[in-house]
Each structure stands twice: as structure tokens, then as C-alpha cells.
Amino acid sequence: MSRPATAAIPRLPVLDWRTFTGAKHSSTPCLLDLPRAQLTHSGRASILLALEMLGVGQGDRVLVPTYHCPTMIAPVTQRGAQALFYPLRADGSPDLDWIASQNLDGVRAILAAHFFGIPQHLAPLRAWCDQRGIRLIEDCAHALFGVSDGKPVGSWGDLAIASLTKFLPVPEGGCLINNRLPGQAFPSLSSPGIKSQLKAAFDIIHVGVNHGRLKGLNRPFSGLLSLLQRFKRRGEAVALQPSQAQIAANEADVPDDYAESFDIDLGQSHRALTAASRCMAQYAPRERIVEGRRQQYRFFAQAFASSPGFKPLMPQLPEHCAPYVFPLWVDHPDPGYFELRRLGLPVSRWDRLWPEVSEIAGDHGQAWSHHILQLACHQDLSPTELQRMVALVQDVYSPTTKTTNKGAA
Ligand SMILES: Cc1ncc(COP(=O)(O)O)c(C=O)c1O
């Protein structure tokens, strides 16, 4: 059975007039407000810079989760270090018993993530790291906001990292927090240059216009664009389009950024964040982001609560957090997942594991990489888009559809 592809539902936040509404501050702490923070080009750049600050390199080993996207692992290998994959418990925490049973010679650091934006309990891991002299890099790429064991997310790691594109309508951005390397300066970052500065500002508006979110500006901006293109040489005109990364990140019908290869672009890792993205990080009101995401998450939790074949992985949304995605366990995810991708649903799955990952008995991470669909639940999804997402997922996995798919195969 062939369904028509849906109109693009944005995978990530997009600029909307509503971006500037609501209270500036949220009662849920934001990692960007932590002391000793450095804005960076991306989350992956922040991991690379964190490893650099720790002096991790050739001959060292870094503990990383079996459940990952390649952007978490590439910085480790880029530094010449070896990734040592550890299993996850059912709640997403590192299986410390398994780790302790391994030969940990040469292990300098552990990367631990607040998957899906649901804060992990990091106090036990912090104590474990302190006992062994292993550095903790707290990966808050999914958790720009939140509280973990009574402290703001981002304050447990020796260093912590964040990814801005997942929470704000920006084409690039990350953050690096230094909690426990007193007196150590951040690596120096080069200025983005005027062309990149202009392009970032342009991209932010262009993506909003592409999604029709800037009423009153959509037409004039598109008109201005065609006018500019008419007067530019072809090469320069191409530069007026949003960057491929920005399009790829935000159009629902393109492969995940990790789907094509493990060759992750870290070339911009020592570049400072552009002024436009920096302003968005500093001035975009935060309450709407937190509350919007919590509302979308609860909508999905309710919609899939009693659907056979589905299980919300973490049905109870804890207080004081802003989820990145809604993790949905699907008993028989294939081939439905590929159909959802083809239809343009903003859903992803971390099913491309780093080649060295091996099976570990009792590891929940590897089961997640097959069964967990990550549904976008950002603040810029409308109620209609959410309903369409639920309807499509249920339709694709309905028993009649599965029979039809099998028949067609
Ligand atoms: C858990 C986690 N850490 C780090 C990253 C890297 O962030 P960025 O895409 O900003 O480079 C990602 C990206 O998806 C991620 O999911």
C-alpha cells in the first residue's frame, strides 16, 4: 500500500513569531546559565573540545554507551583515543557493575547522556568516577533544561556539553561547561567570519519562512530572495540557500544526519558560534520551550498509552525537565520505521551503531537501538501536526497495514 508523503513537519525547532513570546526564564534551570560556559559550534564540537581539555589522546580509552549516535563517538576517535562501549540498564544509566568488571587500564573518561532529555540520576556515577579517578563528561545534548539529583543538568560532569539546534531555531550551536577543571581555560575558538555570520542569520529566517511560520514576512522574504538571486552570479546565489546541514537537519524527508556514514564533520569544531545563534541562545524566552515540549510529550504518552504493540519507554515525565524527543518502544518496528521515514515523519532511530559495538548480555542500549523510535516533540509542532504524527504511526503499524505490507512484499 502506498501512502502519499506528508507535508514537511519540522524535525527541529523553527523560527516562528511565537519564538519571542512567553516568560524569559523558566523555573526549570537551563544549562546555558551555568557559570564557566563556552558557546561552541555544535554538541559534537563540544565533546571534542572537552576531550582536548582533559588531554585525552592516543593510547587513552573513553567509556561510551552502546546506545549512541555516531556524533557522540566520532570525537573520541578523532582524538586518537579508543571507544570502550558500556551497556545500559533499563533506566538508561551506565551498568556500573559491568564496567567495574572490565579491565579499565587507560580509561580516562566516561561519556554519560541524559537520553531523550529525561535527566538521569548522576550522583552515583559522580561518586563512582571520583573513586576511580575517571573524568565524567555529562552529555546534555538532549537536556538543555532540567534537574538531576537536585542540581541543574550540566553540573555533575567534570565537563558537560549541550547541543543548541535541538532546542532553539538555530542552524548550529553547542555549549561546553567546565565544572571541575579550575583555572583551565577553554580552547581558543576562531571567529566565524562575516560570511558565516550573515549566513547564520539568513538561515534562521529562511527555515522559518520555508515552514510558513513567519506570517507577514513569508512573501516579502521570498520576494527579496528571488530579487537577490537575479542579481547575483550563480555561485553566489547558491550561497543564499540555507546550508545543507540546516536543511537536512530540519526537513522531515531526508535521512538522519548519521545515516549516510560514520565520517562526521568535525572540521568546524574550533569555530566560535555565530552572533545570530548566540543571540537566540541568550534572548529566546525559555518558558515556552520547556512548557511546549512537556505538553507535546504528555500528548504522545497519552496517545500511545494503551495501543497494542507500543509502549512509551518513559511514560511518566519527571518534573523539572524539557524532553528532546518522545521515546516510543515498538514491538515490531520494521518495516514500519522505514515507511514512516519515507512519509516524512520527524522520527529517528539510532540503529547505526559504531562498528566496534559488540553484544553484551542484559544490555538495554542495543535493544533500544532497534525498538525505540524517537518522535520529535519540540515546541514548534502544532496540535494538528502532533495528531498527524500519531495517526500515521498507528496507521503504519495497524494489523491490516502489516498484512497489506507483507502481501506487497
Ligand atoms: C546524545 C548526543 N550527544 C551529542 C550529539 C551531538 O550534537 P550535535 O548534533 O549538536 O553535534 C548528539 C546529536 O544528535 C546527541 O544526540
Side-chain angles (χ1 to χ4, degrees), residues 132-145:
R132 284 166 180 76
I134 291 176
R135 296 292 197 172
L136 172 60
I137 302 176
E138 185 180 352
D139 186 334
C140 305
H142 292 189
L144 191 63
F145 300 87

Side-chain angles (χ1 to χ4, degrees), residues 15-18 208-209 211-221:
L15 185 67
D16 188 305
W17 292 127
R18 293 176 311 153
V209 165
H211 284 278
R213 302 299 177 106
L214 295 170
K215 294 219 162 53
L217 197 64
N218 294 330
R219 265 165 184 263
F221 189 83

